[in-house]
Amino acid sequence: MTAPGSRSGLAPAPGPHLLPASAHSYLARSATSLRDAITARDVPTRYACAHVAALCAAAALLAARARPAPRGRRQKNAWVLLAEVAPELSEWASFFAAGAAKRAAAEAGSTRAVSEREADDLVRDADRFLAVVEQALGLVPHASVA
């Protein structure tokens, strides 16, 4: 599966000064996980950290845009919520949701779950996704690190 391309049709963002603190916190955690992925010596850790970086970026956008669901509604994972809250990012959500099982296997220590190429590709994709989310939140995207 290939990562979606960046899209310019992102919904306008409220601006960084109006973002909740939790969104900024998730963005910082995403950047930290991305750095951890880049510096990881083993392939499973690199893949898992890159996937977590993308998940934290998604959480930042959800913190900024999502509204609490009424009680009694079924819980949804972050990728399903992302596609609902930011339909312009639904391809990204599908892409990262498809890698969740591999991340779980990598976190469990499987050395066969992902190849070195898959891990390296995911690091680049998570880096791109973080920039897309930053832009969607009205922030200047970070300088690419991957």
Side-chain angles (χ1 to χ4, degrees):
M1 176 176 243
T2 58
S6 29
R7 291 201 151 140
S8 58
L10 297 174
H17 59 284
L18 297 176
L19 293 176
S22 58
H24 290 287
S25 177
Y26 282 122
L27 289 171
R29 288 163 67 184
S30 178
T32 298
S33 289
L34 190 56
R35 266 192 310 279
D36 291 346
I38 291 167
T39 60
R41 293 183 179 263
D42 64 288
V43 171
T45 300
R46 189 162 53 247
Y47 187 93
C49 288
H51 198 274
V52 168
L55 189 57
C56 289
L61 193 129
L62 291 172
R65 290 193 188 173
R67 301 293 168 249
R71 290 195 182 267
R73 272 186 76 188
R74 202 178 75 124
Q75 288 187 346
K76 299 174 185 176
N77 74 39
W79 302 118
V80 171
L81 286 172
L82 181 65
E84 290 176 2
V85 170
E88 69 276 14
L89 301 179
S90 61
E91 287 181 55
W92 281 107
S94 295
F95 172 74
F96 286 114
K102 284 186 178 189
R103 183 191 101 216
E107 288 177 329
S110 172
T111 57
R112 298 181 202 190
V114 295
S115 69
E116 186 171 359
R117 168 115 190 231
E118 288 173 309
D120 292 344
D121 287 348
L122 193 65
V123 169
R124 283 187 293 278
D125 294 335
D127 184 47
R128 253 185 309 217
F129 180 64
L130 175 56
V132 167
V133 168
E134 289 167 332
Q135 183 179 8
L137 293 174
L139 303 170
V140 175
H142 69 282
S144 180
V145 293

